[in-house]
Amino acid sequence: MLVPLLVGLFIWLAYRNDNLPYAATVMRTFTPNDWWTGFGATAKDWQGVAVHTIFDGLVFFGLVWVVGALGSWGRIIGYYLARRRPPVRAALTGLAALVGLAAVLPEALHLGWSAVPVVNPILYLIALVTGGWHIAGSPIVVYAVYVLAAALVVWPCAKIGGWESLYREWRSGKAPNVPDPAAPSSPGIPRSQWPELRAAGAHRAADVLTGELAAGRMNDADCARLHRVWQASERDAGRRAAFVDALVRQGAAADAHPSGDRDLPARSAPHDLLEGQVRVGRWVAAERGSRRYHDAGLALDPELLGTSLLAVGPSGSGKTRSLVAPVVESLCLQALTGACAVVAVGSSGSQLGPDAAYDVVIRLGDPASRYDLDLYAGATDPDEAAACLAEGLVGDMEGMETRRAATVLAQLLGPYRVAYGRFPTVPVLRELLEARPETLRALLDLLPADGAQAMRRELESRLRQVGTTNDLGPVLADRLAALDRPLFAEFFGGAEESRSFSLRSVAQHPMRVRISLPEGGHEEAARLLNRLLLAQFQHITRGGAGRGNSAFLVLDDAAGAVTPGALRALQRLRTQNSGVVLALRTLAEVPETLHGPLLATVGCRMAFSGLPTWDGRAFAEAWGTERVEMTEVAHHTVFADQPMTRAIHALRKLVTGKAVTTEAVTVREVERQRWSASDLAHAVPPGHAVLSLSHLRGEQVPPMLVDLRG
């Protein structure tokens, strides 16, 4: 602002003191020579004085316009005035108008200083055009020019200060409409007063909720839940009326989660439940990051997780503490608002929150566990149950077709269900897979002769395969043996009392489920269960685009879970209102042929510090390249031809110790990797990660460094 003003004042003073070159030449160029004396701009009569005065006005207005444009005076004044209340803004612009009038019309206000060249140039122009002062000197013309000059000063101030709107509000007797910063979408009514309910006429319900909030009996989860239910009932008048009645009777507890919980026992991360976000870190102001994200907070929400997220980092890099735990906590809070369902899978030692934060806690292998896991996910169709089980048993075996394995399992599950009314337990299924022909014939005899022809045909086909070289029964039985251990004797339907939990419930209700996998010497069982749970989740969420809530599966250790079949199903989750979060210690836990498809399928990719170079290579290829400007500076020695120049160069080299050189600067566009394998392995500090994001709407954030500490 000030630099153009100082330059303008300098030019104006130079002009007033006749030190501005070519001013006289300009005036004499556009006027007759007989108006001037000699070769300068000395006026001979009143016409020359008039030209001088008019030229003063033109120079003054030109300097004002240039100073205002170069200094952005209009934008800066508007910025500061917009932050003021309307009465204060009107008062400040009124004061500016008085100052302007005092500078333009000091005689009318009986002030003793000289006026800026506004009025006199206009009067002299009128006199010059009319050929004398008989018109320009009349009181009517003089006062009209005064009014015009005053209008030129007052009108911009009135426009900027909003005098007209303030006057209309004063005439109507209303207070100025000042937007509440807490409720930009509802001027005059803060969000704490529930303007949506008041706009719909539910003033009593809004008063009840306002009182609940003021008394501290309502939290952010209640606000998000009630806001969501209100929006969901927009097209159902009956449901909305019932909801308003529940608000009047129950207040903030209306339409609560079926568990009765309205908050988690404890929180470890900052949340914004109205936006559905959880903050996990902050973007670092690094060279490779976009300036628009420098030092901005990083938050994740279901619309980002809906594209699925893959996090890779060695043990101790902070995957669980910095990412998985905050994400699970956020999804559990949103489940309390009815927005989603979550299944968190990890070892018993994983810090995924207390048991009280979940509706169902399944500790596989722990006799004290209240719940058991349904091996078949509540399926009644043998083919459906066999497909999920086959993916879990042999989905990771190279050269093994899960379709053939599913066929073998279906040939046993269907007849067994017809004979006993349920699917077999793990020991029984293993025995059937290893069975001799006479054992299967005994099962065949249990099938009714009428009404079970299809099942008899299935079992007879299985009988013909037993003992052949293509028999997959022993392979499946060998894989199933990992679950047929004494530790799991009371699980997977083996207990006397039924306490099985079906993952299918997650697709229908906003549930919070925690599944603890066995540790120690049961790593193969944990990997098998990872594959099984991922297959079940992908199967039960099919056709979920019309569900009211989304569903998420979080695998804190996804080792062994990624298979070709899982990847094919993972590509469809975006359209099924579902997502998966996969955490891996290294990409080596996934078959090498699946590295590229896995990174291409997930929308959000995260590489933690300490990543091996070969893992970094896969991320670098997935993130691709970008075009950047590269500046090259070359120094060339100057060889002089003239003796004097050579002597000067020799003297300069003797004094400085350096030869005389010239710089050649070359700027060109090149393609480089966004993050190279070496950068990912060695340039990511501890507590940081490189993260790229994709939104369900298709928006993307390029890979950038993020600080996950604190």
Side-chain angles (χ1 to χ4, degrees):
M1 288 181 67
L2 298 181
V3 172
L5 177 62
L6 295 177
V7 175
L9 288 176
F10 174 79
I11 296 175
W12 177 249
L13 291 176
Y15 170 74
R16 296 293 291 178
N17 293 326
D18 295 329
N19 293 325
L20 193 66
Y22 305 111
T25 304
V26 174
M27 284 187 285
R28 296 197 61 154
T29 300
F30 295 97
T31 56
N33 290 329
D34 56 359
W35 289 2
W36 312 100
T37 300
F39 296 100
T42 303
K44 181 184 295 186
D45 51 16
W46 71 271
Q47 288 96 338
V49 175
V51 173
H52 262 290
T53 306
I54 295 171
F55 197 73
D56 290 347
L58 293 177
V59 172
F60 177 77
F61 275 105
L63 285 176
V64 169
W65 182 82
V66 172
V67 168
L70 295 180
S72 302
W73 279 68
R75 293 176 59 190
I76 295 173
I77 292 173
Y79 171 77
Y80 283 104
L81 288 180
R83 304 171 67 182
R84 305 291 182 180
R85 294 171 59 86
V88 178
R89 186 165 61 245
L92 291 176
T93 52
L95 181 61
L98 287 177
V99 173
L101 290 174
V104 173
L105 300 171
E107 295 179 357
L109 300 177
H110 302 287
L111 300 175
W113 55 70
S114 300
V116 296
V118 175
V119 174
N120 287 339
I122 298 176
L123 292 175
Y124 272 101
L125 180 62
I126 296 174
L128 201 62
V129 171
T130 58
W133 289 95
H134 58 284
I135 295 178
S138 65
I140 297 177
V141 174
V142 172
Y143 284 115
V145 172
Y146 282 177
V147 172
L148 176 62
L152 290 176
V153 174
V154 175
W155 182 80
C157 296
K159 192 72 174 178
I160 297 174
W163 294 3
E164 183 181 359
S165 60
L166 191 65
Y167 175 74
R168 283 201 298 263
E169 291 172 353
W170 176 74
R171 287 292 303 271
S172 62
K174 296 181 180 179
N177 190 10
V178 182
D180 191 341
S185 60
S186 302
I189 305 179
R191 298 186 71 170
S192 59
Q193 300 294 323
W194 299 90
E196 300 92 344
L197 273 67
R198 298 186 188 278
H203 296 281
R204 186 179 176 188
D207 292 338
V208 171
L209 294 182
T210 302
E212 295 268 270
L213 185 61
R217 294 189 295 269
M218 179 184 292
N219 57 27
D220 55 349
D222 294 328
C223 293
R225 184 188 72 252
L226 298 178
H227 182 70
R228 180 181 180 278
V229 176
W230 178 261
Q231 287 185 327
S233 62
E234 183 177 5
R235 299 183 179 181
D236 190 341
R239 182 182 177 185
R240 173 157 289 189
F243 178 58
V244 171
D245 181 63
L247 289 177
V248 173
R249 290 184 291 102
Q250 303 176 22
D255 214 330
H257 190 263
S259 66
D261 295 340
R262 293 165 55 188
D263 200 356
L264 298 182
R267 300 190 188 185
S268 60
H271 301 270
D272 184 349
L273 293 182
L274 290 178
E275 296 293 335
Q277 296 180 340
V278 55
R279 170 171 284 192
V280 296
R282 180 174 294 277
W283 298 109
V284 176
E287 175 190 358
R288 295 179 183 271
S290 174
R291 289 186 178 274
R292 62 182 296 191
Y293 295 107
H294 282 184
D295 290 326
L298 166 65
L300 300 177
D301 60 28
E303 292 188 331
L304 290 172
L305 300 177
T307 64
S308 296
L309 185 148
L310 173 67
V312 182
S315 299
S317 59
K319 295 190 303 298
T320 301
R321 179 185 67 257
S322 305
L323 175 68
V324 177
V327 166
V328 170
E329 184 176 280
S330 174
L331 294 176
C332 287
L333 281 170
Q334 293 177 57
L336 293 180
T337 70
C340 72
V342 56
V343 180
V345 182
S347 62
S348 56
S350 299
Q351 301 299 321
L352 299 181
D355 292 352
Y358 298 93
D359 303 313
V360 174
V361 178
I362 304 174
R363 299 190 178 277
L364 297 174
D366 185 356
S369 176
R370 292 182 54 192
Y371 293 94
D372 181 16
L373 179 65
D374 188 350
L375 197 65
Y376 307 101
T380 56
D381 181 12
D383 292 324
E384 179 183 344
C388 293
L389 189 55
E391 183 65 32
L393 292 177
V394 297
D396 62 328
M397 292 183 63
E398 294 186 7
M400 175 66 69
E401 295 185 10
T402 55
R403 179 183 56 81
R404 290 183 56 206
T407 301
V408 172
L409 289 170
Q411 289 173 343
L412 296 174
L413 296 179
Y416 189 92
R417 179 176 177 81
V418 172
Y420 294 95
R422 56 182 176 84
F423 288 127
T425 60
V426 170
V428 174
L429 180 58
R430 181 185 179 188
E431 183 180 352
L432 290 174
L433 290 170
E434 295 176 337
R436 296 172 178 260
E438 52 270 19
T439 305
L440 297 180
R441 288 195 184 94
L443 177 60
L444 182 63
D445 294 338
L446 293 176
L447 297 177
D450 298 331
Q453 295 299 325
M455 294 303 165
R456 296 179 68 88
R457 202 164 47 246
E458 288 279 281
L459 193 53
E460 289 172 353
S461 176
R462 175 69 194 133
L463 274 168
R464 290 191 295 268
Q465 297 174 13
V466 172
T468 63
T469 56
N470 295 327
D471 186 11
L472 297 182
V475 178
L476 295 172
D478 182 63
R479 281 302 184 97
L480 193 61
L483 300 182
D484 188 16
R485 307 303 303 159
L487 182 70
F488 305 115
E490 298 182 359
F491 288 87
F492 311 119
E496 294 181 0
E497 54 184 12
S498 177
R499 51 193 175 95
S500 293
F501 172 78
S502 170
L503 210 61
R504 193 174 299 272
S505 304
V506 174
Q508 303 166 355
H509 308 286
M511 301 191 67
R512 302 165 294 165
V513 181
R514 168 79 164 95
I515 301 178
S516 295
L517 300 180
E519 293 182 308
H522 299 277
E523 293 184 1
E524 184 59 34
R527 291 171 177 265
L528 190 155
L529 291 170
N530 269 336
R531 291 192 298 273
L532 179 62
L533 289 171
L534 181 57
Q536 288 186 356
F537 179 81
Q538 292 171 332
H539 192 81
I540 64 173
T541 53
R542 289 183 180 176
R547 290 198 313 268
N549 62 278
S550 53
F552 295 92
L553 173 67
V554 181
L555 296 179
D556 185 45
D557 183 4
V562 180
T563 65
L567 277 183
R568 286 192 294 270
L570 197 63
Q571 296 173 350
R572 298 189 293 265
L573 286 183
R574 295 192 187 191
T575 60
Q576 294 168 0
N577 207 16
S578 306
V580 173
V581 178
L582 304 173
L584 293 169
R585 286 183 290 270
T586 172
L587 284 177
E589 295 175 332
V590 177
E592 186 175 358
T593 56
L594 300 182
H595 290 181
L598 174 61
L599 289 169
T601 299
V602 296
C604 305
R605 312 177 188 99
M606 196 168 188
F608 283 77
S609 61
L611 202 69
T613 307
W614 42 89
D615 284 357
R617 186 182 302 112
F619 276 96
E621 292 177 356
W623 281 325
T625 61
E626 62 179 345
R627 298 188 68 87
V628 296
E629 282 191 353
M630 179 176 291
T631 303
E632 296 179 351
V633 180
H635 296 271
H636 302 286
T637 304
V638 177
F639 297 96
D641 296 330
Q642 302 299 323
M644 180 60 70
T645 308
R646 286 201 298 269
I648 294 174
H649 287 185
L651 178 62
R652 180 175 174 181
K653 183 176 182 180
L654 181 63
V655 173
T656 62
K658 298 180 181 179
V660 180
T661 60
T662 59
E663 287 186 354
V665 181
T666 303
V667 179
R668 55 177 179 152
E669 271 196 355
V670 297
E671 280 196 2
R672 73 172 185 185
Q673 287 185 320
R674 297 180 184 271
W675 283 85
S676 67
S678 179
D679 290 337
L680 290 172
H682 306 293
V684 181
H688 292 65
V690 179
L691 172 65
S692 65
L693 298 174
S694 293
H695 198 276
L696 285 175
R697 293 191 299 264
E699 303 170 7
Q700 293 185 345
V701 175
M704 294 187 298
L705 188 65
V706 58
D707 187 356
L708 302 172
R709 297 171 298 182

